[in-house]
Amino acid sequence: MRGRGRAPGGTGAFAVVAVAAVAALAGACAPPEAIAPRPAAPLRETGRVAQSRAPREDLRLIPAEAYLRTYLRLFGGLAPAEVERRARGDDKAALFDTWGDYLAALGLPDYGLDLPRATQTNALMLAAFERLGIALCDRALEHDLKAKERVPIERRLIFAFDLPAQDPDEAAFAPRFDVLHRTFLSYPARLAPPDRQGKFFALYEGTVARHRAKGAAKSRFSPEEAGWAAVCYGLVRHPEFHLY
């Protein structure tokens, strides 16, 4: 008789599968292999290079919107129309015109006239910065130091200090200058280049001396007030205030 045929490799294949299953089960039940930590070998020094402090990117002009937001905040966080009114004042000094006269000069685009956004300074922009800075400093000085009723220091806009009773030396000038430096440049004056305070103190003294000189033009500010206004002018148009 012819016996029934056997499937080719049937028993052998089953044996291989069974062995693999047993091996996998044994591996799953075995304790995990532990690797003892070893101290890392120190890296070999191949050379030294001095750290480069060269700027990686040129200074850029801050967007006009950022400048305007800061300007409004320095004026007390007022609305643009109220800032315009206060900056113009009532003394007919023509310190400030209207916002419409400055927006294009500050670099904002005017799509109606096909004027693109300005990304670099120019003479007209610098003149606008100059006019706005003088308006800010003069009106703030009038508000902070010349008001009929003394304004508390915590409510002052820029000059959050009292003027000294006599001509200050550089030691008395320093803390007051630091207040203005923090206001406009956002960091303490002691972190600035070491000659900055001395230069601004010389500016203060020179301005006071010119206002006291015989035959000096009449000013609505006292010599000391004019000196602090000049320091304010220097900081509000400082490159660190306009660039980043």
Side-chain angles (χ1 to χ4, degrees), residues 20-34:
V22 172
L25 183 61
C29 297
E33 182 179 5

Side-chain angles (χ1 to χ4, degrees), residues 69-172:
R69 184 167 57 249
T70 301
Y71 191 86
L72 297 175
R73 179 182 61 80
L74 291 172
F75 243 110
L78 303 176
E82 180 63 16
V83 168
E84 179 180 304
R85 188 190 68 78
R86 288 200 180 186
R88 296 181 72 176
D90 299 323
D91 58 2
K92 311 300 181 182
L95 288 177
F96 193 101
D97 300 312
T98 65
W99 283 118
D101 297 318
Y102 296 113
L103 297 182
L106 292 175
L108 285 169
D110 188 336
Y111 299 114
L113 298 177
D114 199 21
L115 290 177
R117 178 181 294 273
T119 59
Q120 296 181 344
T121 56
N122 54 65
L124 187 60
M125 183 183 295
L126 293 178
F129 285 146
E130 179 85 4
R131 177 63 67 87
L132 293 173
I134 291 175
L136 171 65
C137 293
D138 283 10
R139 297 311 185 200
L141 192 146
E142 292 170 357
H143 174 274
D144 295 346
L145 301 178
K146 294 182 71 66
K148 294 180 179 179
E149 296 183 4
R150 182 181 182 276
V151 179
I153 288 181
E154 63 272 11
R155 290 177 49 200
R156 297 183 185 180
L157 301 177
I158 303 296
F159 301 92
F161 52 81
D162 289 325
L163 299 185
Q166 56 188 5
D167 289 344
D169 55 11
E170 190 166 352

